[in-house]
């Protein structure tokens, strides 16, 4: 019901990643479907490379990375990158890795929190996402929450696999 969904979404928080979160994330990324929907190219990550990647990501000054929690349970990851305060725009990303939690409206709750960080903490006014048109739930989420299609982009130009149908969407906050 809508009331249950609203209560579940209130329990969603963004937290700094913990070591156990990175292990859980590694497990989720073994799922080829998740990697494809999230525009990750190549095979499943290997353990050592995965932890090295996250170590670099967590130390990067031009990005913010979060674990998505519902109550006490880590259910996904999100972040902000390409933070351009001169142009006042930020690219965001998110995914729910816990398959049982998909379709419960949690992505919308996370999106709202990321938009608040962009607007209130970073002082930026434009949120940007890159999404595969094959990822219908994500495309629908962004469309329903006010994101407008701004460009079709070549997937290779963006650092993704060739032939992916990638679109750039923007929202004025």
């Amino acid at each position: 019901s809508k009331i249950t969904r609203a209560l579940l979404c209130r329990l969603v928080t963004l937290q700094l990643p913990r070591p156990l979160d990175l292990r859980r994330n590694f497990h989720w990324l073994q799922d080829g479907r998740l990697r494809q929907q999230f525009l990750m190219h190549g095979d499943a990550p290997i353990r050592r490379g995965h932890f090295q990647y996250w170590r670099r990501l967590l130390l990067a000054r031009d990005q913010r990375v979060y674990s998505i929690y519902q109550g006490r349970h880590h259910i996904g990851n999100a972040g902000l990158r390409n933070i351009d305060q001169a142009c006042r725009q930020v690219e965001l990303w998110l995914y729910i890795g816990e398959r049982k939690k998909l379709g419960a409206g949690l992505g919308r709750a996370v999106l709202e929190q990321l938009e608040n960080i962009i607007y209130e903490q970073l002082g930026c006014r434009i949120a940007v996402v890159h999404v595969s048109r094959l990822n219908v739930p994500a495309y629908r989420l962004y469309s329903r929450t006010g994101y407008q299609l701004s460009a079709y982009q070549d997937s290779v130009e963006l650092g993704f696999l060739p032939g992916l149908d990638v679109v750039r969407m923007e929202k004025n906050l």
Side-chain angles (χ1 to χ4, degrees), residues 12-68:
V12 174
T13 59
L14 298 177
Q15 301 179 19
L16 293 176
R18 302 173 190 155
L20 184 58
D21 297 345
L22 302 181
R23 286 190 210 126
R24 197 169 290 111
N25 183 45
F26 176 78
H27 172 73
W28 292 331
L29 294 180
Q30 302 307 303
D31 180 349
R33 197 167 109 209
L34 174 69
R35 290 194 318 276
Q36 181 184 30
Q37 287 179 329
F38 195 60
L39 300 170
M40 294 177 183
H41 48 111
D43 295 327
I46 57 170
R47 188 172 299 278
R48 183 176 179 191
H50 173 77
F51 289 104
Q52 288 173 342
Y53 168 80
W54 275 91
R55 198 171 301 117
R56 282 192 311 271
L57 193 61
L58 291 168
L59 294 173
R61 294 179 186 257
D62 62 340
Q63 299 191 48
R64 294 188 181 190
V65 183
Y66 306 97
S67 290
I68 303 169

Side-chain angles (χ1 to χ4, degrees), residues 40-154:
M40 294 177 183
H41 48 111
D43 295 327
I46 57 170
R47 188 172 299 278
R48 183 176 179 191
H50 173 77
F51 289 104
Q52 288 173 342
Y53 168 80
W54 275 91
R55 198 171 301 117
R56 282 192 311 271
L57 193 61
L58 291 168
L59 294 173
R61 294 179 186 257
D62 62 340
Q63 299 191 48
R64 294 188 181 190
V65 183
Y66 306 97
S67 290
I68 303 169
Y69 272 78
Q70 183 184 31
R72 296 180 310 166
H73 303 284
H74 176 221
I75 61 166
N77 297 295
L80 304 172
R81 62 181 169 212
N82 298 323
I83 300 170
D84 187 344
Q85 291 180 310
C87 292
R88 299 175 68 176
Q89 73 177 19
V90 177
E91 180 179 350
L92 64 86
W93 58 270
L94 69 98
Y95 65 89
I96 305 297
E98 201 60 54
R99 288 248 170 240
K100 295 177 283 189
K101 301 296 182 177
L102 293 173
L106 303 174
R108 182 181 292 247
V110 173
L111 184 58
E112 289 173 4
Q113 291 181 45
L114 290 170
E115 290 173 350
N116 284 337
I117 293 169
I118 292 169
Y119 188 83
E120 294 174 12
Q121 293 179 21
L122 299 175
C124 294
R125 301 298 179 252
I126 300 171
V128 175
V129 294
H130 288 97
V131 64
S132 166
R133 300 223 7 183
L134 299 175
N135 188 347
V136 175
Y139 187 80
R140 189 178 303 135
L141 168 66
Y142 297 126
S143 296
R144 288 181 176 168
T145 55
Y147 285 79
Q148 301 291 318
L149 183 66
S150 63
Y152 287 95
Q153 295 203 259
D154 180 75

